[in-house]
Amino acid sequence: MEEIKSALRELLVDTLRLPIAPAQIGENDLITQLGIDSIGLMEIITQVENKFHIIVEEDDLSPSLVNSLDTFSAYVKAKQRAAAVKQ
Amino acid sequence: MNTDSALVRTFLRTAQIYPEGIFLDGEQSYTYRSAAEQITKLAHQFHSAANGSPVVIHGLNTSTWVFSFLAARAAGLVVIPFSPETTTEQWHELGETVGPFYVFDATHGIGTLTNPAGKRRHFPERAGFCLPTSGSTGVPRLALRSDESLLIEGERYLHGFGFAPADRILVALPLCHAFVLGLALGGALVSGCTLYLTPRFVPRVAQRLLREGVASIVPLVPASARLLCAAFRDGGAQPQNLQHIVIGAGPVSPELERHVVDRLGRVPARNYGSSETGATLGTIGQVVPDGVTGSALPGVEAAIMGDERPGSLFIRVTAPFLGYVSPTAIDASRVSPDGWYSTGDFATQDANGWITVTGRLGDGLRRGGRFIQPAEVERALKNHPEVTDVVVVGRRDAYGEDIVEAHIETATTRLTIEHVRRHAAQYLESYKLPTVWHFYEHFPRTSGGKPDRSRFIRSASPTKLYESEKSKEE
């Protein structure tokens, strides 16, 4: 899970073009801390889908998905597992 | 239905001419006639439940969102569209500014009267709706506009692009966004065209719908245009039936324009405006020189004031905004007695009349839709013990977004970027931190002793201690 979190941190910095190191991204309240709006959310989701080879369902699209690194990484991990089982 | 509202009158007139025309499409479809029935029902609800208070609409793009906007107007109530990302602080500030307000969750169709004991705010007779804005200062405010201003904005698209009843606008970006509201709702009301609504912007959904040919017009912001172009990179078919791609709320870089032409098959129209004025400058999808913002849209006057170039951009429109709402007054001082509104932007104009917005005149930076107040960043940096003075300005990056650029005056060469950045991070959210840093022994100053900000904004090179590292975008 830590590996996914670390990858998510890097992805957030790159996607949002943040002037900080990935390690400086906290665990929670990312919407406010990083200034993520609806378009920023879609930019992040698109990059996550490409990087982790998963599909984020429309029903799951919500700011709460990305607001906490724990929630976000757990979702990515679950999606990866589901994709692996399908194969 | 109460027809004091020009928006409602226009809607009803369009519904009379095209009763079976499709007003809204997407998850559900409504003709103008059936939409009028829904609006009437909601108007009764607002009339009895809102008790004269303004109606805040929030939620995803749904038919209920559109109905509630028109229903609130039909009930004679001022409408305040709020984005789904509204913070607790913004809700609180709203209560202090407008007193009681009725919150309508358009996603779930639930309404609540909030702050009922607050002091009721009286709005001028012509007040139609308020749009949250940071203006040029970066300080959040409510810009009050009349119904007529939205209709006139719609007419700019009607006359500039030729919106017609057969047109269908794909509305995937939030309707609470000033650019989308003006183009989509304003445009539909005056032209009789259809709004195809999706709850939110999802690139692959928009891609599918455009390939199916559901829309002839699609408003985008630069970030969503990039995402859509990336979705079309799959090598499949280009959009069908698409006539106009209109990119607003941010500049169109040459690279973005190339991607849009390659993947979506059309030169995008550029669009510039504000919550206060609606769309005012733009193009209609013709090829124009790189960096150009556009020319004045039909019915808009634009002027660049001041002796230096770039100068200060002023706009004059019919039905200018009524002012900023505060708890005790409506502040209309940004509009001169003869109707000129100061945009807060620098601009130039070439021999062919093309206007190019080159930067912000004063405060208020915008990056990815987030507003950053330079004064807040300056305060955070200035309380570092080795910093004697600070100026923070914005500069455009390759994507056309503002980069936060900090100019630091310090007597010591020991001060590093890492020192000041780490210091500022204690006080600022990450996205507000400067990306570009310059250090000086002595700032250029005015005769009054203040930093000469124009030297930093206009890219002059005062004596520097050392150049900083720059962001990877530059």
Side-chain angles (χ1 to χ4, degrees), chain B residues 434-449:
Chain B
T435 319
V436 176
W437 304 81
H438 298 286
F439 293 81
Y440 305 79
E441 193 178 357
H442 298 293
F443 272 170
R445 292 188 179 270
T446 64
S447 55

Side-chain angles (χ1 to χ4, degrees), chain B residues 16-101:
Chain B
Q16 252 185 330
I17 301 170
Y18 309 110
E20 300 309 319
I22 305 296
F23 177 41
L24 302 178
D25 206 352
E27 286 178 1
Q28 287 181 290
S29 189
Y30 290 90
T31 61
Y32 274 86
R33 190 205 304 273
S34 60
E37 290 163 11
Q38 297 297 319
I39 292 165
T40 305
K41 262 193 252 176
L42 260 179
H44 285 314
Q45 174 183 334
F46 289 162
H47 188 76
S48 53
N51 197 28
S53 306
V55 176
V56 173
I57 305 171
H58 73 100
L60 302 175
N61 285 354
T62 57
S63 48
T64 308
W65 198 104
V66 178
F67 296 152
S68 60
F69 191 102
L70 293 172
R73 292 307 299 131
L77 305 170
V78 170
V79 187
I80 309 177
F82 256 28
S83 93
E85 289 96 32
T86 303
T87 64
T88 311
E89 199 182 328
Q90 285 170 317
W91 284 115
H92 178 71
E93 277 171 18
L94 181 66
E96 293 192 341
T97 304
V98 304
F101 56 92

Side-chain angles (χ1 to χ4, degrees), chain B residues 60-215:
Chain B
L60 302 175
N61 285 354
T62 57
S63 48
T64 308
W65 198 104
V66 178
F67 296 152
S68 60
F69 191 102
L70 293 172
R73 292 307 299 131
L77 305 170
V78 170
V79 187
I80 309 177
F82 256 28
S83 93
E85 289 96 32
T86 303
T87 64
T88 311
E89 199 182 328
Q90 285 170 317
W91 284 115
H92 178 71
E93 277 171 18
L94 181 66
E96 293 192 341
T97 304
V98 304
F101 56 92
Y102 186 72
V103 180
F104 188 69
D105 175 350
T107 307
H108 302 105
I110 301 169
T112 326
L113 187 63
T114 304
N115 190 23
K119 188 172 174 198
R120 175 86 64 82
R121 183 79 178 76
H122 291 288
F123 290 90
E125 203 179 303
R126 289 163 53 217
F129 59 102
C130 293
L131 291 174
T133 176
S134 295
S136 66
T137 66
V139 176
R141 292 196 277 190
L142 284 177
L144 183 64
R145 286 173 55 182
S146 62
D147 284 358
E148 285 81 4
S149 74
L150 188 65
L151 294 170
I152 287 167
E153 186 181 358
E155 285 174 0
R156 291 173 207 155
Y157 293 105
L158 177 72
H159 299 305
F161 290 84
F163 280 16
D167 278 311
R168 292 160 63 85
I169 304 174
L170 176 59
V171 189
L173 295 178
L175 275 160
C176 62
H177 194 297
F179 160 56
V180 180
L181 185 72
L183 187 153
L185 188 58
L189 288 176
V190 302
S191 70
C193 71
T194 301
L195 300 181
Y196 193 104
L197 304 174
T198 67
R200 51 167 63 88
F201 176 77
V202 179
R204 61 173 172 272
V205 172
Q207 178 206 46
R208 176 177 55 79
L209 291 172
L210 290 175
R211 279 186 171 148
E212 288 173 5
V214 306

Side-chain angles (χ1 to χ4, degrees), chain B residues 142-145 276 320-325 330-335:
Chain B
L142 284 177
L144 183 64
R145 286 173 55 182
E276 291 88 342
F321 94 114
L322 303 173
Y324 296 113
V325 182
I330 308 288
D331 174 14
S333 57
R334 285 285 296 282
V335 182

Side-chain angles (χ1 to χ4, degrees), chain A residues 16-58:
Chain A
L16 301 176
R17 304 195 296 285
L18 296 172
I20 56 172
Q24 290 173 288
I25 293 184
E27 292 279 329
N28 298 305
D29 198 28
L30 299 185
I31 298 288
T32 309
Q33 230 347 274
L34 308 183
I36 301 171
D37 60 12
S38 56
I39 294 296
L41 175 66
M42 284 320 307
E43 288 183 289
I44 293 163
I45 295 298
T46 302
Q47 295 302 325
V48 164
E49 288 185 331
N50 291 340
K51 182 170 182 67
F52 295 100
H53 307 293
I54 61 172
I55 299 281
V56 177
E57 306 301 335
E58 277 174 64

Side-chain angles (χ1 to χ4, degrees), chain B residues 1-24:
Chain B
M1 237 192 281
N2 182 335
T3 55
D4 285 346
S5 156
L7 284 179
V8 174
R9 280 201 305 277
T10 304
F11 171 78
L12 290 175
R13 199 177 319 130
T14 307
Q16 252 185 330
I17 301 170
Y18 309 110
E20 300 309 319
I22 305 296
F23 177 41
L24 302 178

